[in-house]
Amino acid sequence: ESWITRHSLGREKFLEKVWEWVKFSRSTIVSQIQAVWSSVDWSREQFTLSEKLSRAVRKSFVNLYNSNKIYQSSYIINWCPRCQTVLSDLEVEYQEQKSNLYHIRYFIEWKGDSITVATVRPETMFGDVAVAVHPKDRRYKKFIWKNVLIPIINRPIPVIADEHVEVWFGTWALKITPAHDPADYEIWKKHNLPLDYFAIDKDWKLTDLAWEFAGKDVEEVFDNIVQYLWEIWNLEKKEEYVNNVPKCERCWTRLQPLVSKQWFIDVDEYAKKSIDLVKSWEVKIYWERFNKVYFEWLENIRPGCISRQLWRWHRTPVWYCSNWHSSVLEESFIHEQ
């Protein structure tokens, strides 16, 4: 038996089904909101998919675009393989879990030496574009600008020097996979490295770069990859490690950091104004000790991704009254790739 999905229906048929559901469930939803004594203006009740609100969203989007506040660009985003949509940083939940730190040898091309990197995600190595070492690390100076071979596939990549390599973590050497890691993406921008190497696609499957593992689900072949690394002497050791894993707030699926072309809003100006308001005491945060957290968040904030590939406009509730108007642009805009 084949399931009907939004993709098999198509967007127009999907919207027809939504409106059928609205006619069936409206009274139930409204009565639930009234039962909890929500203080809203019922004379201005609107459904989120109404033409009136859709026009307002389109107008706001065009105005922001014309004022250069929003733009389209390729950037590292949070991708949910199950929901098949991008999520903003605010929609990401982090879960602490026990994992493993894998110490993997990258052999120097045409040499017997090797550089060992430590990673919790060995499956992304097929998309590596470099190995970075700290410029002051004497052990690795002689290898800078030489090539190392990516394990299993033996594709040569350069060894580069970057002062942002954390000398307190792992082996002081870092595999650079800019298409799948935000920190690596920032290093990529400084070193003119390639960006077209993707180890994992949007369905959480390995790409053709993975050779015999291509097309396989990452979770299904993860143990096979680790075992293969061990058999060919590329896996030096593994050790227990606790890390925070990003999860989708909707379905709790593990998110995939991924470079993708999406719509973004420039938040730098707004972040600066927000910081100035607190520093000038026009806005006060209680307790004052939380100022530090607030400043750290805004000073390191990334461009806000406003794209969504979901064929729906609002999470909950689906009914809108004038008191909730501030959420219209944030929750209502969608962008179809």
Side-chain angles (χ1 to χ4, degrees):
E1 181 182 358
S2 60
W3 291 90
I4 296 175
T5 67
R6 68 183 190 271
H7 299 292
S8 62
L9 278 174
R11 180 161 178 163
E12 297 304 319
K13 289 290 184 182
F14 174 77
L15 292 179
E16 290 178 11
K17 291 292 183 182
V18 171
W19 280 105
E20 288 178 13
W21 178 84
V22 170
K23 294 174 183 177
F24 171 78
S25 61
R26 175 191 175 277
S27 59
T28 301
I29 294 173
V30 170
S31 64
Q32 289 173 340
I33 297 174
Q34 291 174 334
V36 295
W37 295 85
S38 293
S39 178
V40 294
D41 183 357
W42 289 104
S43 68
R44 301 180 66 180
E45 177 190 330
Q46 293 281 347
F47 177 51
T48 325
L49 291 184
S50 68
E51 181 56 31
K52 180 179 180 180
L53 294 189
S54 295
R55 283 201 309 271
V57 170
R58 291 194 293 270
K59 181 178 180 181
S60 297
F61 178 81
V62 171
N63 288 341
L64 287 168
Y65 179 79
N66 289 336
S67 60
N68 296 319
K69 299 298 184 184
I70 60 176
Y71 58 93
Q72 194 175 40
S73 177
S74 292
Y75 194 72
I76 193 87
I77 51 92
N78 307 297
W79 180 262
C80 177
R82 180 190 176 278
C83 296
Q84 287 290 294
T85 186
V86 61
L87 302 179
S88 74
D89 290 347
L90 297 177
E91 294 172 303
V92 178
E93 300 287 345
Y94 288 91
Q95 181 184 37
E96 188 178 273
Q97 71 174 32
K98 291 182 179 179
S99 183
N100 287 307
L101 193 62
Y102 298 89
H103 292 248
I104 303 174
R105 296 187 187 96
Y106 283 60
F107 287 101
I108 308 297
E109 189 176 28
W110 309 116
K111 301 281 186 180
D113 295 321
S114 66
I115 296 177
T116 300
V117 304
T119 179
V120 294
R121 300 188 66 199
E123 72 276 12
T124 65
M125 67 185 175
F126 304 113
D128 287 352
V129 297
V131 166
V133 298
H134 198 281
K136 294 183 180 180
D137 194 327
R138 295 180 179 178
R139 297 173 301 166
Y140 300 134
K141 274 189 175 183
K142 61 182 178 179
F143 297 137
I144 294 174
W145 295 120
K146 286 184 169 56
N147 286 338
V148 293
L149 300 175
I150 298 176
I152 299 177
I153 63 175
N154 292 324
R155 175 164 58 84
I157 54 175
V159 178
I160 63 173
D162 193 285
E163 60 188 11
H164 285 91
V165 174
E166 296 173 340
V167 296
W168 54 267
F169 175 79
T171 63
W172 297 20
L174 184 68
K175 62 190 283 300
I176 305 300
T177 322
H180 298 291
D181 186 277
D184 294 357
Y185 182 84
E186 294 302 317
I187 292 177
W188 160 80
K189 289 195 296 187
K190 297 192 306 180
H191 292 275
N192 195 30
L193 297 167
L195 191 62
D196 54 349
Y197 288 94
F198 290 81
I200 304 168
D201 65 18
K202 290 184 176 181
D203 294 317
W204 201 249
K205 296 183 184 300
L206 291 162
T207 66
D208 291 342
L209 293 178
W211 287 12
E212 64 185 86
F213 299 107
K216 304 293 181 61
D217 185 277
V218 173
E219 292 185 356
E220 291 178 1
V221 298
F222 181 84
D223 291 339
N224 300 77
I225 293 173
V226 173
Q227 180 62 28
Y228 198 149
L229 289 171
W230 184 263
E231 291 174 356
I232 61 177
W233 299 92
N234 280 98
L235 182 60
E236 185 176 290
K237 66 177 181 177
K238 69 176 182 179
E239 57 186 345
E240 291 185 355
Y241 184 72
V242 176
N243 62 324
N244 287 319
V245 177
K247 297 291 185 75
C248 173
E249 70 168 7
R250 294 183 178 91
C251 65
W252 215 242
T253 299
R254 178 170 182 166
L255 295 177
Q256 165 68 16
L258 191 69
V259 169
S260 178
K261 190 174 184 180
Q262 304 287 344
W263 286 95
F264 296 89
I265 184 165
D266 186 359
V267 295
D268 288 344
E269 179 184 345
Y270 306 118
K272 184 179 184 305
K273 288 181 178 179
S274 299
I275 290 172
D276 291 342
L277 285 172
V278 175
K279 286 186 174 180
S280 64
W281 295 95
E282 292 183 57
V283 173
K284 294 183 180 180
I285 296 177
Y286 293 95
W287 296 99
E288 192 175 331
R289 64 177 181 270
F290 291 111
N291 282 6
K292 182 179 179 181
V293 177
Y294 178 78
F295 293 144
E296 285 180 352
W297 173 56
L298 289 178
E299 287 168 356
N300 296 286
I301 198 167
R302 300 194 303 163
C305 183
I306 58 174
S307 292
R308 298 296 181 274
Q309 284 69 40
L310 294 173
W311 291 355
R312 58 175 176 157
W313 273 251
H314 210 285
R315 284 183 243 165
T316 54
V318 294
W319 293 92
Y320 161 82
C321 295
S322 60
N323 303 56
W324 302 335
H325 70 278
S326 64
S327 66
V328 172
L329 182 59
E330 296 174 6
E331 300 292 350
S332 299
F333 172 71
I334 70 166
H335 171 67
E336 281 291 285
Q337 292 295 320

